[in-house]
């Protein structure tokens, strides 16, 4: 708790109080600059918090994890984001790896474009069928959610005496294009649920239905 706080603000306001001061400067104040002078006899400590929406898409990031998303047609052929028709079905493949030789309880989140819906709950048990035999070996998740706006998968990465497990991973699910429009395709992300300094982000793009 602050005691004997005495501040002079560059906007002409003076503060004298025995409690913390909270400021929420308007955009105009930030653009012109705001300075604060300590007129008291004790040190004053400042902390700034910033919230907002990025002006541009964040670039791909590798902070202990790498992750990428590839979209295919059901036969394994190439996906063209500019040639998507309503009711088309696609396979979303998420692949990556853990860079550090550490145990992780990892969580993947892949947000859907507004015009897409998840079609089938799981491809993990049908990879060997004729329809999806072209998929790589898929990682078994400990928990999966198929929400209206995202795919979520939790899985463990750890070392055993026989070697590493799930250090390289792959997940797949089906989506269907349902609503015409031009949409942003958000970047997939992964993080350690209990060590969030270890995380990764893929690339964002666009898709048109």
């Amino acid at each position: 708790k602050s005691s004997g706080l005495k501040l002079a603000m560059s906007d002409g306001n003076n503060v004298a109080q025995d409690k913390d001061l909270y400021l929420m400067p308007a955009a105009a104040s930030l653009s012109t600059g705001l300075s604060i002078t300590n007129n008291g006899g004790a040190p004053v400590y400042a902390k700034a918090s910033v919230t907002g929406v990025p002006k541009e898409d964040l670039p791909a990031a590798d902070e202990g994890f790498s992750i990428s998303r590839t979209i295919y047609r059901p036969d394994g052929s190439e996906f063209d984001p500019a040639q998507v028709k309503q009711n088309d079905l696609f396979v979303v493949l998420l692949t990556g790896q853990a860079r550090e030789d550490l145990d992780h309880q990892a969580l993947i989140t892949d947000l859907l474009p507004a015009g897409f819906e998840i079609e089938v709950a799981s491809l993990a048990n049908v990879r060997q069928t004729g329809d999806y035999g072209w998929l790589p070996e898929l990682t078994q998740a400990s928990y999966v959610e198929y929400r209206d706006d995202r795919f979520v998968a939790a899985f463990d990465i750890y070392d055993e005496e026989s070697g590493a497990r799930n250090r390289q991973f792959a997940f797949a699910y089906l989506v269907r294009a349902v609503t015409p429009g031009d949409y942003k395709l958000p970047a997939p992300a992964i993080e350690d649920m209990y060590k969030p300094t270890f995380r990764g982000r893929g690339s964002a793009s666009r898709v048109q239905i």
Side-chain angles (χ1 to χ4, degrees):
K1 181 180 179 179
S2 299
S3 178
L5 193 65
K6 294 182 179 181
L7 303 174
M9 320 289 286
S10 60
D11 59 7
N13 293 320
N14 293 321
V15 175
Q17 60 189 42
D18 289 328
K19 59 181 180 180
D20 293 342
L21 174 67
Y22 296 92
L23 296 174
M24 296 183 64
S29 298
L30 293 175
S31 62
T32 58
L34 176 66
S35 63
I36 303 173
T37 303
N38 179 17
N39 289 334
V44 174
Y45 299 94
K47 182 174 75 170
S49 298
V50 179
T51 60
V53 177
K55 185 177 180 180
E56 299 178 353
D57 292 332
L58 296 175
D62 182 341
E63 299 178 20
F65 288 110
S66 66
I67 186 170
S68 63
R69 175 183 54 224
T70 310
I71 303 178
Y72 300 94
R73 293 191 174 273
D75 61 1
S77 60
E78 183 178 355
F79 164 80
D80 184 348
Q83 299 293 325
V84 177
K85 297 179 180 179
Q86 190 175 19
N87 208 41
D88 281 353
L89 187 67
F90 300 100
V91 179
V92 180
L93 178 63
L94 302 168
T95 57
Q97 67 180 47
R99 301 291 190 185
E100 306 293 335
D101 189 21
L102 298 171
D103 294 348
H104 296 286
Q105 290 178 282
L107 181 71
I108 285 178
T109 303
D110 190 26
L111 299 175
L112 298 178
F116 280 55
E117 290 183 0
I118 292 181
E119 178 73 9
V120 176
S122 176
L123 289 176
N125 298 321
V126 299
R127 186 185 67 85
Q128 300 301 332
T129 67
D131 289 340
Y132 303 106
W134 51 267
L135 282 170
E137 182 177 356
L138 300 179
T139 304
Q140 291 293 327
S142 56
Y143 178 77
V144 178
E145 285 189 3
Y146 303 91
R147 302 183 186 178
D148 290 341
D149 66 341
R150 71 193 63 193
F151 168 80
V152 179
F155 65 106
D156 294 329
I157 300 172
Y158 59 91
D159 287 323
E160 299 175 322
E161 292 182 1
S162 58
R165 178 174 179 180
N166 292 342
R167 203 152 296 282
Q168 294 186 334
F169 53 84
F171 294 90
Y173 64 97
L174 290 174
V175 295
R176 189 176 295 278
V178 294
T179 307
D182 184 6
Y183 304 108
K184 178 177 289 187
L185 188 56
I190 181 173
E191 67 174 350
D192 186 308
M193 291 184 284
Y194 301 99
K195 299 190 288 284
T197 53
F198 295 97
R199 53 190 169 185
R201 182 176 56 248
S203 299
S205 58
R206 300 198 70 87
V207 62
Q208 185 172 358
I209 301 174

